Coordinates of all heavy atoms in Angstrom, one line a residue:
H127 N -43.5 44.3 -67.2 CA -42.3 43.4 -67.3 C -41.5 43.8 -66.1 O -40.9 44.9 -66.0 CB -41.5 43.7 -68.5 CG -42.3 43.5 -69.8 ND1 -42.6 42.3 -70.3 CD2 -42.8 44.4 -70.7 CE1 -43.3 42.4 -71.4 NE2 -43.4 43.7 -71.7
V128 N -41.4 43.0 -65.0 CA -40.6 43.4 -63.9 C -39.1 43.1 -64.2 O -38.8 42.2 -64.9 CB -41.0 42.6 -62.6 CG1 -42.4 43.0 -62.1 CG2 -40.9 41.1 -62.7
D129 N -38.3 43.9 -63.6 CA -36.9 43.7 -63.7 C -36.5 42.5 -62.8 O -37.0 42.4 -61.6 CB -36.1 44.9 -63.2 CG -34.6 44.6 -63.2 OD1 -34.0 44.4 -64.2 OD2 -34.0 44.5 -62.1
F130 N -35.7 41.6 -63.4 CA -35.4 40.3 -62.6 C -33.9 40.0 -62.8 O -33.4 38.9 -62.7 CB -36.3 39.2 -63.1 CG -36.5 38.0 -62.1 CD1 -36.7 38.3 -60.8 CD2 -36.4 36.7 -62.6 CE1 -36.9 37.2 -59.9 CE2 -36.6 35.7 -61.7 CZ -36.9 35.9 -60.4
T131 N -33.1 41.1 -63.2 CA -31.7 40.9 -63.5 C -31.0 40.2 -62.3 O -30.2 39.3 -62.5 CB -31.0 42.3 -63.7 OG1 -31.9 43.1 -64.6 CG2 -29.6 42.2 -64.3
Q132 N -31.3 40.7 -61.1 CA -30.8 40.1 -59.9 C -32.0 39.5 -59.2 O -32.8 40.2 -58.5 CB -30.1 41.1 -58.9 CG -29.0 41.9 -59.6 CD -27.8 40.9 -60.0 OE1 -27.7 39.9 -59.4 NE2 -27.1 41.3 -61.0
P133 N -32.2 38.2 -59.3 CA -33.5 37.6 -58.8 C -33.6 37.6 -57.3 O -34.7 37.4 -56.8 CB -33.5 36.2 -59.4 CG -32.1 35.9 -59.7 CD -31.4 37.2 -60.0
F134 N -32.5 37.7 -56.6 CA -32.5 37.6 -55.1 C -32.2 38.9 -54.5 O -31.4 39.7 -55.1 CB -31.6 36.5 -54.7 CG -31.9 35.1 -55.2 CD1 -31.1 34.5 -56.1 CD2 -33.0 34.4 -54.7 CE1 -31.4 33.2 -56.6 CE2 -33.3 33.2 -55.1 CZ -32.5 32.6 -56.1
S135 N -32.7 39.1 -53.3 CA -32.3 40.3 -52.5 C -30.9 40.1 -51.9 O -30.7 39.1 -51.1 CB -33.3 40.5 -51.4 OG -32.7 41.2 -50.3
N136 N -30.0 40.9 -52.2 CA -28.6 40.8 -51.7 C -28.6 41.1 -50.2 O -27.8 40.5 -49.5 CB -27.6 41.6 -52.5 CG -27.2 40.9 -53.8 OD1 -27.2 39.7 -53.8 ND2 -26.9 41.7 -54.8
E137 N -29.5 42.0 -49.8 CA -29.5 42.3 -48.3 C -29.9 41.0 -47.6 O -29.3 40.7 -46.5 CB -30.6 43.4 -48.2 CG -30.5 44.2 -46.9 CD -31.6 45.2 -46.9 OE1 -31.9 45.8 -47.9 OE2 -32.3 45.2 -45.9
L138 N -31.0 40.3 -48.1 CA -31.4 39.1 -47.4 C -30.4 38.0 -47.5 O -30.2 37.2 -46.6 CB -32.7 38.6 -48.0 CG -34.0 39.2 -47.4 CD1 -35.2 38.6 -48.1 CD2 -34.1 39.0 -45.9
R139 N -29.7 37.9 -48.7 CA -28.7 36.9 -48.8 C -27.6 37.1 -47.8 O -27.0 36.1 -47.3 CB -28.1 37.0 -50.3 CG -29.0 36.5 -51.4 CD -28.4 36.4 -52.7 NE -27.2 35.6 -52.7 CZ -26.0 36.1 -52.9 NH1 -25.8 37.4 -53.2 NH2 -24.9 35.3 -52.9
K140 N -27.2 38.3 -47.5 CA -26.2 38.6 -46.6 C -26.6 38.2 -45.2 O -25.8 37.5 -44.4 CB -25.9 40.1 -46.7 CG -25.0 40.7 -45.6 CD -23.5 40.7 -46.0 CE -22.6 41.3 -45.0 NZ -22.6 40.7 -43.6
K141 N -27.8 38.5 -44.8 CA -28.3 38.1 -43.5 C -28.3 36.5 -43.4 O -28.0 36.0 -42.3 CB -29.8 38.6 -43.3 CG -29.9 40.1 -43.1 CD -31.3 40.5 -42.8 CE -31.4 42.0 -42.8 NZ -32.8 42.4 -42.8

Side-chain angles (χ1 to χ4, degrees):
H127 304 285
V128 293
D129 175 68
F130 203 43
T131 313
Q132 301 298 333
F134 297 108
S135 152
N136 278 330
E137 203 184 311
L138 275 182
R139 289 184 56 247
K140 166 92 174 62
K141 287 183 190 169

